[in-house]
Amino acid sequence: MPSVTIIGTGYVGLATGACFAHLGHDVVCVDIDERKIDSLSRGVVPIVEPGLDDLVTEGLDAGRLQFSIDVDGSAREAEIVFLCLPTPQADDGSADLSYVEAVVVQLRDVLRPGAILVNKSTVPVGTGRRVREQLGRSDVAVVSNPEFLRQGSAVRDFLHPSRVVVGGDDAAAVARVADLYSGVDAPILRMNTESAEALKYAANALLATKLTFINAMADICEAVGADIFQVAEGIGLDPRIGKDMLNAGPGWGGSCFPKDTRALVKIAEQGGYDFALLRGVIETNDQHYARIADKVTEVCGGSVEGLKVAAWGVTFKAGTDDLRDSPAIKILQMLHDAGARITAYDPTARGKYVAHPWMEIAPSAVAAVEGADVLAVLTEWPEFASVDPHEVRDVIGAPRVVDGRNVLDRERWRSAGFDYRGVGR
């Protein structure tokens, strides 16, 4: 089996390394954060991701997975080096490639002849060509292998993907990277580098468009007396559309969609095309945050000043502890700015929440609503659906709930005496 080095132990890098080790490859995951590497070497995973802890422990015990802070040494020994580095959004909306470029420069004189450098980070079209120029090494191939990992299901997505995409101009290098996935039952799409890079952005942009569309339809359904559940069920049965990503909610967020959609608008702009459709998707999504905040304000009589707002969920989706571009945080920030006091509960609540000092964290869902003037459900954690509304009714200050994820049983909560407001109903 070829030796693999993963540079970057963030969400993508750690999941990729652990899954490759599970498939039988010898993997070294590298990061400059010494504390994180020490923790991972002891099998302690710093992020919430179902199944990842078990895979890391399995890889360590089998001797197929190692963690190191030695970037140069680990890359020098590897046949295939994956770049799993952050590409955050720059001020102008484009992707910031400074982390990728810095590592490429560092590896220029380190990679052994015949090595393959694989970009797994989400990067603008043309980055592969740019990396080859920076390397200046005709004996090192550059390949694109974009990730399609959803937070909360990354292990399943890696081991049971809908497709594996490998792009490059060196057919032999593309084949070697594709062979890493030989234990995975999925079509492997081989293409040129630019197509692989564009495909990643296209997928995220289309998914974001689908979510924005169903949220806009939810607003229309409320206005005309329709039910978004019934509408979504009907259109989801059309095989041209499909039922996935048709759950109305408070808007999309997270570490990928916001930055990738804006980056694609910028990529299009640099290519001379005004991507007005995608700009509209982004603007509509931003407006939807405000609509949910307005819904909370409306149920409270037109103002939340001085009121206590209880929130269930602060992460951008269930199954993760990621707060990046979380719709819940954006909505709660709006309510706080309008004068509300915020108390929230989330199953992954940790010390990182001190980044939002205006938010008090409660130890349980019921504790969060004690004395509250309204409850807002903002993340679709399954445990919220099982909470007894009568137990909440006994401690809440005013029986009002805005279910921004449509996860609660509407009739059950109304029977318990709540003024229930969902989305698109």
Side-chain angles (χ1 to χ4, degrees):
M1 294 287 186
S3 58
V4 176
T5 288
I6 309 286
I7 298 182
T9 59
Y11 171 77
V12 172
L14 185 55
T16 298
C19 287
F20 272 143
H22 177 73
L23 292 176
H25 303 294
D26 292 323
V27 181
V28 179
C29 291
V30 186
D31 203 291
I32 60 174
D33 187 333
E34 193 167 348
R35 289 180 61 186
K36 181 192 283 189
I37 292 299
D38 178 66
S39 175
L40 288 168
S41 297
R42 291 183 283 107
V44 179
V45 176
I47 59 175
V48 173
E49 184 58 47
L52 187 55
D53 304 63
D54 293 337
L55 285 193
V56 168
T57 299
E58 173 194 287
L60 290 170
D61 290 346
R64 291 192 300 269
L65 180 62
Q66 302 176 53
F67 296 95
S68 173
I69 59 169
D70 183 4
V71 176
D72 288 4
S74 299
R76 186 177 291 113
E77 297 299 319
E79 296 178 40
I80 302 176
V81 177
F82 281 81
L83 300 182
C84 298
L85 300 163
T87 53
Q89 181 179 304
D91 292 339
D92 64 354
S94 63
D96 180 356
L97 295 178
S98 58
Y99 293 100
V100 173
E101 292 175 343
V103 171
V104 169
V105 170
Q106 181 177 351
L107 298 181
R108 189 162 46 202
D109 299 321
V110 172
L111 296 171
R112 69 192 203 182
I116 302 172
L117 186 62
V118 183
N119 231 329
K120 205 159 188 65
S121 305
T122 300
V123 295
V125 181
T127 299
R129 181 176 62 255
R130 189 168 167 180
V131 168
R132 281 194 293 272
E133 293 170 352
Q134 284 184 307
L135 275 178
R137 294 274 304 270
S138 60
D139 60 343
V140 174
V142 176
V143 170
S144 175
N145 176 217
E147 54 85 14
F148 299 96
L149 307 180
R150 296 168 297 170
Q151 288 178 253
S153 59
V155 170
R156 183 171 67 252
D157 289 344
F158 190 103
L159 299 177
H160 306 282
S162 58
R163 78 287 202 200
V164 174
V165 175
V166 186
D169 302 323
D170 184 324
V174 168
R176 287 176 66 194
V177 173
D179 284 345
L180 293 176
Y181 294 90
S182 59
V184 171
D185 182 17
I188 296 180
L189 308 181
R190 294 171 172 84
M191 59 192 68
N192 66 23
T193 306
E194 289 78 10
S195 295
E197 291 169 340
L199 192 157
K200 168 64 177 181
Y201 279 108
N204 278 358
L206 188 56
L207 292 171
T209 299
K210 194 173 182 180
L211 285 170
T212 300
F213 174 81
I214 203 64
N215 284 335
M217 280 304 307
D219 291 340
I220 294 171
C221 285
E222 284 188 30
V224 302
D227 190 314
I228 194 61
F229 275 98
Q230 297 171 353
V231 172
E233 181 183 16
I235 63 175
L237 291 173
D238 187 327
R240 298 168 301 173
I241 297 172
K243 65 180 181 179
D244 291 340
M245 312 295 275
L246 288 181
N247 295 317
W252 42 263
S255 61
C256 295
F257 284 4
K259 74 178 184 66
D260 290 353
T261 51
R262 287 175 169 82
L264 185 53
V265 168
K266 194 68 178 180
I267 291 168
E269 179 184 305
Q270 292 167 346
Y273 178 73
D274 178 11
F275 206 158
L277 171 64
L278 190 55
R279 281 194 291 104
V281 167
I282 295 168
E283 292 167 5
T284 301
N285 186 62
D286 290 343
Q287 293 165 6
H288 199 66
Y289 301 148
R291 287 190 63 84
I292 299 298
D294 289 344
K295 192 184 292 285
V296 174
T297 302
E298 178 186 335
V299 78
C300 290
S303 174
V304 293
E305 185 172 2
L307 302 185
K308 175 180 176 179
V309 174
W312 283 358
V314 292
T315 55
F316 88 93
K317 62 179 284 190
T320 178
D321 60 347
D322 200 339
L323 299 177
R324 287 174 289 182
D325 275 303
S326 169
I329 296 293
K330 292 179 182 292
I331 292 164
L332 293 176
Q333 179 74 66
M334 293 176 187
L335 294 169
H336 167 73
D337 292 345
R341 294 177 291 112
I342 309 296
T343 300
Y345 166 72
D346 191 284
T348 67
R350 292 179 177 177
K352 67 170 70 175
Y353 289 80
V354 298
H356 306 288
W358 45 266
M359 184 190 306
E360 179 183 347
I361 298 300
S364 70
V366 174
V369 301
E370 290 182 2
D373 296 283
V374 62
L375 165 63
V377 183
L378 300 175
T379 309
E380 72 282 20
W381 289 99
E383 71 176 77
F384 298 152
S386 64
V387 176
D388 184 348
H390 292 91
E391 188 177 359
V392 175
R393 181 70 178 82
D394 288 341
V395 298
I396 198 168
R400 299 181 285 222
V401 58
V402 173
D403 186 359
R405 294 284 187 170
N406 289 335
V407 297
L408 306 180
D409 184 324
R410 177 174 60 174
E411 297 311 316
R412 188 175 175 220
W413 281 74
R414 283 181 172 170
S415 295
F418 279 85
D419 180 355
Y420 174 98
R421 310 286 179 92
V423 175
R425 311 186 76 188

